[in-house]
Structures are given as structure tokens and as C-alpha cells.
Amino acid sequence: MATSAADFPELPYADGDFFAFEQLLSGKEQDRLAEVRDFLAREVKPIAVDCWNRGEFPMDLVPKLAGLDLVSPVRRQGYSNLFAGMLHAEATRADASIATFLGVHDGLFTGSIELLASKEQQDEWLPDIYALKKIGAFGLTEPLGGSDVAGGTRTTARRDGNNWILNGAKRWIGNATFSDWVVVYARDVADNQVKGFLVDTTLAGYSATKIENKISLRTVQNADIVLTDVVVPDHFKLANANSFRDVNKVLKVTRLSVAWQAVGLQMAAFDVARRYAVERQQFGRPLASFQLIQDQLVRILGNTVSSMGMMVRLSQLEDAGEAKDEQSALAKAFATDRMRESVAMGRSILGGNGIVTDYGMAKIFADAEAIYSYEGTAEINTLVTGRAITGISAIV
């Protein structure tokens, strides 16, 4: 007799949280996470594949996201880092592109203001940022500078009276085609230190051009930015962004978010693969009835649970103020490596249907490649961890 997922909708492990990590959240946080999950199911998942296929960002979603009030859950709203991580995983589970939009605006851009701006600057800028009335971007990576950008930032800043003159280029800048502001990190020609600036995207000499032909996170509007004698008033120089060591304060926190994205994408792969395996009929029986398919599903689940377990502990350390850079580096490298393996198995379970976006898995599979690379490649994060455990730097 044929069976389908509809015949047993109440399976206790259908959501992929096999070890019930969500129960570590407070009751308030669990309720809030459920609210966000319902929103994502209603407003994001139904449009995710179509937006991805067209490579367009759903701007009409921004007011709805603003109404959900998701920006700065830890510093502004008092939630735990564990909750913030699980929230980011849920957003990625629904759509990695929307999660990346939030990660850029909230983690990288807002985090730069919260961690590196003065109190006066924060009071002036943050209300509109929190309300998504001003959308932000984060300008660090350059056309010729990725992993080596700490010592190789080519964009320059020159003091000119009460202004700064910025010249250079940035690449892969998410949200930058429609952002109101972008935090640009540039090397001060006077002291050779990297400093941060809040740049209004309407300023003369600023331009942003969408990067076309991506195979990953197609909904995200990444851009090439060119700065040609852009005049930035001194007030818009972030008061506490005076070296790359300061920039790392932002990256340390956002690296956690990307590792949580790797958890969320594995949950998405498990969701799609499990349902497909139960509903798909082969040789007159459900695909899930074959041992090799169950093996792959369990391996995806194991990768997800192990990644989540590491992230839960790291988030707890972050809440206690004890998390270290090398721990974030290991988590990002490990979770994204497991993610790559999980989405490949998920695609395999769907066979030919795994290479078309109609079934969801092809999008998940492709999006994993961007998450694997950004916020520090696996290789660089491995070397950061290796330096911590050996005392020897292998970063050339």
C-alpha cells in the first residue's frame, strides 16, 4: 500500500531538531522563535524560489520585516545569542538570501554602528536602522582583496579639513544596489590604519553596480562599489573604528551568524530530502523504504545535529563573554564543511529533480557555495584555529 508524508504528519523528528536544542531557550524566546517561523512560512518561503530564479529582491517584504522587528535582538532587545543564532538558522532554513539580507543589515552594518560608533552617532543613526527606514550595507571586501584584506585594503581615506576623501573600490557588497548607507572601511593614508566611515549612497562619486550571473544567493543584490573622491564629513567617520583590530570586533560576532546559516541550510536540506523520500515512489514503494536512502537522511541529520551542537555551545560562550576568535573560526569551518556534504546528499536523494529549482533542493545546493566562502573561507578559518592550537602562524 502506497504511503506518503500526509499519512504520518506528526512524526516527532520531522523538524530536524533531533536533540531538542530549542528547549534550551527561555519560554519567551521559544514563543518569539515560533512567531518568526510562522512569518517565514507565510511570507518568505512561498516566494523564495521565484525571487531566486529571477535574481530579484522582494522590496515589498522590507516593511513586513520591519514590522516583525528583527534587528539587533541581543544588544537592543535583550535576547540571548543562542536565540539570535537559532533565529538566523530559521531564516536561512526558509531562504538563505533573505537571511543574508538580514545578516548584512543587522550583523555587519548595524553591528559596525553598535560596536564602533560613538554614543552621539548611535543616538542619531540607530533608530532608523533598527526600523529598517535606512537599509545598510558593509563595504570591506575589494576586487583585489578578500582573505588578505586585513593588510591589503586598497581603498584610501584622506583627511581634508573637516572632511574625508574616499577613493577605491569594493566588491561583493550585499544590499548595496538599494541601500541608503554603507559602512566603508578604508586605509588612512596618514597612519596606514583601516578606519570606518558611514557613507550616504547618494553622495557624488559613489556608484554601485549589481554583480550579474551568480549561481548562489541570487536574490541577494551584491554589487561592485566605486568611490571616486567621495567627500564624507568628519562626523560620519565611526569614532571607534581606527584599525583592523576594531573591524575584527564586528567580524567575530557575524562569523557566528554565518555558521548558524550553515545549520539552517542543513535543516532546509533535511526538510526537502525527507519529505521527497517519503512521498516519492520507486519500484512500487516509498523511496524512504530503501536502506541507502535512510543512510543518507541519517547522515544529513547527524551533520545538522553536530553542527548545531557546536553552535549552541559557542553561543552560550558568547552569552557568557567567553567566546574566542579561534572558536568562531572552527565553528564556521566545521559547520560549512558539514553543510556542503549534507546538501550534496540531499541533492543526490532527489536525483534528476535535485538539479531544478522546482523542488527546492537545487537552490539549497547552490546557496551553500556562497555560505561556504564568505565571512572567512574554510582555509583561512582553519589556519586561524591552527595558529591557536600550535602557536605557529601558517598564514602567509
Side-chain angles (χ1 to χ4, degrees):
M1 180 178 176
T3 58
S4 72
D7 294 317
F8 39 88
E10 300 302 325
L11 278 177
Y13 299 119
D15 69 351
D17 187 10
F18 200 71
F19 283 11
F21 287 122
E22 195 173 316
Q23 292 180 15
L24 296 172
L25 299 175
S26 68
K28 176 185 176 183
E29 289 176 331
Q30 290 184 48
D31 290 343
R32 177 67 166 143
L33 190 62
E35 178 189 8
V36 173
R37 187 182 288 126
D38 288 345
F39 171 88
L40 294 168
R42 185 176 64 254
E43 301 288 349
V44 175
K45 288 188 73 172
I47 65 172
V49 170
D50 180 58
C51 290
W52 195 96
N53 285 341
R54 291 184 289 108
E56 295 181 6
F57 187 86
M59 294 303 300
D60 59 345
L61 188 63
V62 173
K64 298 176 183 178
L65 289 169
L68 198 59
D69 195 21
L70 294 176
V71 182
S72 192
V74 178
R75 297 188 188 92
R76 179 170 67 100
Q77 299 174 343
Y79 288 104
S80 66
N81 278 284
L82 180 57
F83 166 80
M86 289 188 176
L87 185 152
H88 208 58
E90 281 296 333
T92 308
R93 186 181 190 177
D95 180 19
S97 289
I98 295 303
T100 299
F101 162 76
L102 290 170
V104 170
H105 177 83
D106 183 15
L108 291 166
F109 173 72
T110 305
S112 293
I113 307 303
E114 291 178 326
L115 291 171
L116 303 178
S118 67
K119 177 68 164 56
E120 179 187 7
Q121 290 170 328
Q122 290 173 2
D123 290 345
E124 179 179 344
W125 301 333
L126 283 175
D128 282 349
I129 292 171
Y130 289 149
L132 282 174
K133 293 179 179 178
K134 293 287 188 180
I135 295 175
F138 179 85
L140 179 62
T141 303
E142 299 185 344
L144 299 177
S147 297
D148 67 344
V149 74
T153 299
R154 293 170 173 81
T155 301
T156 61
R158 176 175 56 84
R159 186 69 179 263
D160 182 21
N162 293 324
N163 297 316
W164 293 83
I165 312 300
L166 304 187
N167 280 282
K170 299 293 180 179
R171 183 163 172 81
W172 293 115
I173 311 307
N175 303 352
T177 62
F178 56 82
S179 67
D180 302 288
W181 286 331
V182 56
V183 170
V184 172
Y185 290 96
R187 187 171 299 280
D188 185 349
V189 297
D191 62 10
N192 210 36
Q193 294 296 315
V194 173
K195 295 180 168 62
F197 303 86
L198 183 67
V199 176
D200 187 321
T201 59
T202 64
L203 289 175
Y206 174 95
S207 68
T209 305
K210 180 183 175 181
I211 296 174
E212 302 285 358
N213 306 320
K214 294 190 303 176
I215 66 163
S216 189
L217 298 180
R218 287 175 49 80
T219 306
V220 176
Q221 303 298 291
N222 295 98
D224 283 308
I225 289 175
V226 175
L227 303 134
T228 305
D229 292 331
V230 176
V231 179
V232 179
D234 186 54
H235 174 64
F236 288 86
K237 185 262 172 193
L238 301 189
N240 301 311
N242 297 305
S243 71
F244 202 84
R245 189 180 300 273
D246 296 324
V247 184
N248 264 331
K249 295 175 185 176
V250 180
L251 298 178
K252 173 178 174 288
V253 178
T254 56
R255 197 167 290 125
L256 267 71
S257 299
V258 177
W260 272 110
Q261 277 191 298
V263 172
L265 209 63
Q266 290 183 82
M267 294 173 76
F270 179 77
D271 289 342
V272 174
R274 177 199 156 273
R275 175 166 290 277
Y276 186 88
V278 168
E279 294 181 346
R280 175 74 168 180
Q281 295 285 315
Q282 290 287 277
F283 301 101
R285 50 198 284 205
L287 196 60
S289 69
F290 294 95
Q291 292 179 0
L292 290 177
I293 296 299
Q294 290 203 4
D295 175 70
Q296 290 183 82
L297 287 172
V298 170
R299 287 165 64 192
I300 294 171
L301 180 63
N303 284 346
T304 305
V305 170
S306 62
S307 299
M308 186 179 287
M310 180 179 284
M311 292 312 304
V312 165
R313 181 56 185 148
L314 182 56
S315 295
Q316 291 173 334
L317 289 171
E318 187 69 27
D319 281 325
E322 298 174 0
K324 298 179 175 63
D325 288 345
E326 56 266 27
Q327 292 169 328
S328 295
L330 176 60
K332 202 277 180 175
F334 177 85
T336 55
D337 198 37
R338 298 286 72 73
M339 169 196 68
R340 232 181 180 190
E341 184 178 75
S342 293
V343 301
M345 285 188 288
R347 197 224 57 78
S348 176
I349 288 171
L350 268 69
N353 289 332
I355 66 169
V356 290
T357 56
D358 309 48
Y359 292 80
M361 187 62 78
K363 174 180 174 294
I364 293 167
F365 179 84
D367 284 345
E369 287 304 291
I371 294 172
Y372 183 76
S373 294
Y374 65 35
E375 283 294 328
T377 64
E379 292 80 7
I380 291 295
N381 280 312
T382 296
L383 295 179
V384 170
T385 309
R387 181 176 60 196
I389 62 177
T390 65
I392 301 170
S393 177
I395 301 175
V396 178

